[in-house]
Each structure stands twice: as C-alpha cells, then as structure tokens.
Amino acid sequence: MPCTFLIPTTSNVSFSPFFHSSTHPSLPLAATTQRAVLRNVLKKHKRLPAQSQWSNLGSILSALEEYIPYLFALDAGLGGNQVNGEEIDITLLKEIDLEWRTSLAARIPGREPPRLKGKGLDYEICFVLSTLAYVSTLLAQSQLRALYASVTPTAEQRTGVIAKATRYLLEANSIHAYLVTRAEDTAVSSSAIETTSAAQGALAQLVLAEATLLAVLKDDPYPAIVAQGRNKSDDEWKFKAPDIPKVRAHLFARLCLAAAEHAAKAEAMLNVSTSGKMIRVDDGLVKYINDLRRTSKAKAYRLFGIDAELGGETAQGIAWLMGGKKELGFPDMHEGGSKMKGLAKFKKEWTERREDKKIEKGGQWGGDGGRFEEARIIEMLDKKWNKMNDTMNTQIIPSCDTMLAKAPSGRDIHSTKLFVPPVLDEDTLARMRGPPDVDEGAEPVNNSDSSDEEDHGGKSDVPGSFPGRGIGTSGEESYY
C-alpha cells in the first residue's frame, strides 16, 4: 500500500508586487488568482473528515493542473525562456517570500506540522510539484482500496485497478525525479526538507519501490487469497477452494529484491536530507520505509520458497519462509526460537485487527508497508508446507541463512520517465497580453472556515462581545 502523505497548505500571497511583465501584464495577477483557488481547495481538504478526503483528491488535482502552467510561465519569463514559442518578459521587482506547511518534518502529536518560510519562485515550484506528487500517490492508494472492498473483485477488475495505481505512482516518481534535477541546479533558501535533492531523491526511490511491488501484486495470487479470507461478507471459500495458479516466482522474487534496494536507498537518502538542518524527518515516514524494505525482502524470500516448492523441494521452501519471518521480525520455532506468546502475540493480533478496522471504515491504513499482510501469507504457507513435509515426503529443512546466501540480485521493471511541465496554450497567452482586470483577478475573500493566523489577523471575535473586539485586542484599546 503506498505511503499516506499529508497534503500541505500554504499562506496567502500575491505575485503582483513581486513580478511585472511588459509583454503579458495580466500574467502575475492571473497566477495569483489560480494560486488563491488552490489555497482554498487545500484548506477545505484539510478540514474534511478522513473518509471524505479520498473523494476530494480530484478537486486538488484539478486546481494544481490549472495553476502549474501559470507558475511555470512566470519561471520561464524570469529565465528568458519561451512558452509555447512565445517570448515572455518578466521583471523581478523584489524577492518573494512564501510559506508552506511541511509534510515530511516531525511534528508534535496533536499539532499541525510547522509552516516554513522560503524565498524565491523555486521554493513555490518545489512545494507545488511535491503536492502534485503526493496527490498522485494518494490516488494510487485510493485505487488499491477496491482490492479490499466488501465485494471481492474479479481478476480483470483487479488487473485494471493495479494498472491505474501503477500509472499514478510512476507519475509521482517522474515528478520527484524532476525536482531532484531542479534542486541540484538551483539553491533554495529555506529550512524545509522538501527543498533538498536528497529528500526528493528518497521520495522518488520510495515511489519506485511501491510501483515495483505492484508489478508483483498483479500476478501474485496469495494476497488476494488472504484478503478474501478476512473478508467477512465473502462466503465463496465455503464451497469453492481458491485458485492458486503457478506464478513466475523466481522473476517476481528478483523484482521484490529490486524494490527492497530502492527502499534502502530511500532510507539512506532521507537521513542525508536532514544533515545541517534543525528539523527531523517524520518518524512515521522513516518507519514506513523501513517496513517496506523488510516486506519487500520477505516477499522475495516467500516467492523463492514457492519456486522451490513447485520444484519438489518443500524443505527448501520452508527454509525460505523462515528467512521471510526473520526479515519481518517475527520469531520462528524452526530456528530454535520460541513461539510468539504473551504480550508480543497480543500486540501482533491487536495490530492486525486495527488494520482490518481501518480498511472497513475507509480510514488511513497501510502504514506498516504491507508487513502484517505478508506475515499472514507466510504463516499460511508455512503451516501447509510443514504439514506436507511431516506426512508425505519428509525432507531435512536446511538453515535459512544457507538459503539466503543464494539469493540473486534484484531486477528492475520500471524506468523513470521525464516529467514535462505543462505550458499555457496560445489563447491563454493572448489574453495575458491585455491589461490586468483588477476586479476579475481579485483574490477570494477569506471565509470563516480558515484557521490560519493571517486570515484572522491574529484576532477572533468573542461570542457576546462587541463586534470587532477579538481575543487579540490589547487592553489599551478598551472603550470603557
């Protein structure tokens, strides 16, 4: 399951005092209008319940797609580049100051993440494109929710859902990769983690690992069997045994090892991104990347075990499963360990039930990187294969360390595509040549649903008090 990112919000700003265009005078004001629309959409999204935020992702995507061409038109004008074959002259009057609420920094429980200031248009581009990548990742997660719905999807529906989710993840990967190259070419004055090339590189590697695992999920029948088994409204298992086709286990195992390598790179680059900064990375993101790396390796070992079992080597398959349990951090009694008992067993079962409840209620779930789901699959196969090995063809189970030493290298299936920033069309550029219409381009009035300090000016009316007498009013202004 892709990582659940927090959609950032931003402060109110107007481009007109900072940029002037002699060729397209209406461009700064038009960009301000589109940014104000995006800002209001982000604020409303933050205030929605968790169950309603998934259906609101489309409105954020539309607002971003409307605003980004104007933003890159300003950037092209400052750099002396053409837009759609047309020259745009932009003059920088003074350096612009912007504020965005970070999504990667650690925060105090119960409080919003800090809002960080930055200078320059590159800071705005970095956060806007990062938001677009976060939305693409969340759209991929919303697609995958259909796999765990109350009605078990068919094989065709499952393939279509995974294909759409993969496309969203690859789009997010291309955006993060673009921001890596942009961060290397430009220096952004900010303490935000998102502005570093290491952080964007880590997110690119993370999304690529998730997309690689989806390529395996498309043809791996066991996650669907486990999901069907824990679906309370699905009774098909009572009268029909699940179909378990033969999979290309060895190839899929190498793909999982490649996903583990990408996750390990993401974990290392994320640690580099905070060097020299006073802000720590969110512990939840670090834990998710670590769990995803362990899950990818355990999935690879499980697939190597399936390949060995299909070849008649059931004991070797059990040894591979032991390596998967060891990678996931669960004890295995075959290696001389003890069964999970007491508080450890209760904690594991409680965590699994909590994930199931999140799936049923439509909340944010999958924060374990698929670790517990993979553990269920390994336990199911381990019980089946041990029963076969004890009753039918008894074989000596080798050490799991011996089998893990034979693991080959990973193999990539996806390549990073180049993100091409959208540009304004010719008709829109022609309209920008006219003088700005101040009334038409005025920003929307801040409404009462905003909790930002700048929206209220640091004051709020006390119920029953004289209008205009806010909490932030000093005692020197008292009228009595």
Side-chain angles (χ1 to χ4, degrees):
M1 179 58 63
C3 183
T4 304
F5 288 102
L6 182 67
I7 300 296
T9 55
T10 181
S11 61
N12 193 10
V13 72
S14 175
F15 291 123
S16 299
F18 303 95
F19 303 102
H20 172 73
S21 176
S22 58
T23 57
H24 299 75
S26 299
L27 180 59
L29 192 58
T32 302
T33 303
Q34 296 297 332
R35 190 184 190 278
V37 173
L38 173 63
R39 176 174 177 267
N40 287 336
V41 170
L42 294 177
K43 287 194 303 181
K44 292 179 180 178
H45 177 82
K46 185 179 69 172
R47 287 161 177 77
L48 289 175
Q51 293 81 0
S52 303
Q53 288 183 350
W54 300 106
S55 59
N56 192 55
L57 293 173
S59 60
I60 301 179
L61 183 62
S62 300
L64 286 167
E65 291 176 346
E66 290 291 332
Y67 171 54
I68 289 176
Y70 290 91
L71 182 60
F72 275 94
L74 290 174
D75 181 65
L78 288 175
N81 301 320
Q82 293 185 349
V83 177
N84 210 352
E86 187 171 341
E87 293 285 347
I88 297 181
D89 178 64
I90 299 291
T91 303
L92 181 63
L93 302 179
K94 57 181 178 178
E95 196 71 30
I96 187 171
D97 294 324
L98 300 143
E99 289 185 0
W100 279 86
R101 202 175 295 279
T102 178
S103 300
L104 304 182
R107 56 185 181 273
I108 301 174
R111 297 184 60 181
E112 293 181 340
R115 178 179 287 177
L116 304 178
K117 294 183 179 180
K119 291 182 176 293
L121 203 61
D122 291 318
Y123 184 73
E124 175 79 358
I125 292 176
C126 176
F127 266 94
V128 170
L129 291 185
S130 296
T131 305
L132 179 62
Y134 298 155
V135 171
S136 298
T137 304
L138 292 176
L139 285 172
Q141 187 178 142
S142 66
Q143 289 289 329
L144 294 176
R145 286 171 173 270
L147 302 180
Y148 303 91
S150 57
V151 179
T152 303
T154 62
E156 292 77 11
Q157 293 173 342
R158 181 182 178 85
T159 302
V161 164
I162 294 176
K164 290 181 180 178
T166 303
R167 186 175 68 250
Y168 282 125
L169 289 178
L170 292 179
E171 289 177 359
N173 172 256
S174 65
I175 295 171
H176 289 304
Y178 172 81
L179 289 175
V180 170
T181 58
R182 190 178 181 93
E184 292 174 351
D185 297 336
T186 59
V188 179
S189 175
S190 174
S191 59
I193 304 174
E194 288 87 343
T195 59
T196 62
S197 60
Q200 294 297 334
L203 295 178
Q205 292 292 330
L206 171 61
V207 175
L208 189 59
E210 294 168 340
T212 304
L213 289 180
L214 287 187
V216 178
L217 179 64
K218 183 175 62 175
D219 295 320
D220 187 6
Y222 293 97
I225 294 172
V226 171
Q228 185 179 10
R230 68 182 182 187
N231 190 352
K232 297 179 181 180
S233 59
D234 192 341
D235 297 332
E236 185 180 357
W237 60 273
K238 293 182 179 180
F239 55 88
K240 179 185 176 183
D243 297 327
I244 305 179
K246 291 185 178 181
V247 297
R248 295 168 290 175
H250 195 274
L251 173 61
F252 292 154
R254 293 188 63 186
L255 296 181
C256 292
L257 289 177
E261 293 173 1
H262 291 306
K265 291 179 182 178
E267 191 173 8
M269 297 175 74
L270 206 60
N271 293 331
V272 174
S273 65
T274 56
S275 60
K277 294 183 180 293
M278 300 297 294
I279 299 179
R280 292 188 303 108
V281 180
D282 184 25
D283 295 334
L285 178 60
V286 176
K287 182 180 181 301
Y288 172 82
I289 296 177
N290 183 48
D291 286 343
L292 184 69
R293 177 186 59 79
R294 297 165 68 179
T295 302
S296 301
K297 278 193 174 184
K299 192 182 293 289
Y301 299 157
R302 189 250 302 175
L303 289 169
F304 281 133
I306 293 175
D307 184 63
E309 195 273 335
L310 291 175
E313 300 292 339
T314 306
Q316 293 185 12
I318 296 174
W320 282 112
L321 294 182
M322 290 159 52
K325 286 185 179 181
K326 184 177 180 181
E327 186 65 37
L328 292 175
F330 300 126
D332 190 89
M333 58 182 178
H334 300 290
E335 283 291 300
S338 59
K339 289 185 178 180
M340 186 179 296
K341 61 179 72 172
L343 290 177
K345 184 178 180 180
F346 173 76
K347 181 180 179 182
K348 177 177 177 293
E349 294 176 351
W350 179 79
T351 307
E352 290 178 353
R353 288 197 300 268
R354 185 178 62 176
E355 288 293 313
D356 293 343
K357 289 294 183 181
K358 289 180 180 179
I359 295 174
E360 294 175 3
K361 296 181 180 180
Q364 296 180 354
W365 58 281
D368 62 343
R371 180 166 167 257
F372 285 100
E373 181 182 55
E374 186 61 32
R376 287 180 175 181
I377 299 175
I378 291 179
E379 288 176 359
M380 179 187 69
L381 293 177
D382 183 68
K383 185 183 299 183
K384 176 183 177 182
W385 291 353
N386 271 288
K387 185 177 182 180
M388 292 171 55
N389 191 55
D390 293 340
T391 57
M392 296 172 59
N393 49 347
T394 304
Q395 300 175 0
I396 299 176
I397 300 175
S399 173
C400 68
D401 295 332
T402 305
M403 304 305 300
L404 298 184
K406 300 179 181 179
S409 60
R411 176 179 175 180
D412 286 318
I413 188 174
H414 298 300
S415 58
T416 302
K417 297 181 179 179
L418 181 64
F419 172 74
V420 180
V423 296
L424 294 174
D425 54 52
E426 296 180 356
D427 295 336
T428 305
L429 287 173
R431 291 196 300 269
M432 295 297 102
R433 298 193 196 103
D437 188 350
V438 180
D439 295 333
E440 181 181 355
E443 289 198 34
V445 179
N446 293 319
N447 45 35
S448 59
D449 67 342
S450 174
S451 63
D452 299 327
E453 292 183 2
E454 73 275 4
D455 295 344
H456 297 290
K459 303 177 182 180
S460 60
D461 292 335
V462 179
S465 64
F466 190 80
R469 307 299 297 180
I471 297 176
T473 306
S474 61
E476 297 178 357
E477 298 175 355
S478 177
Y479 65 91
Y480 49 80

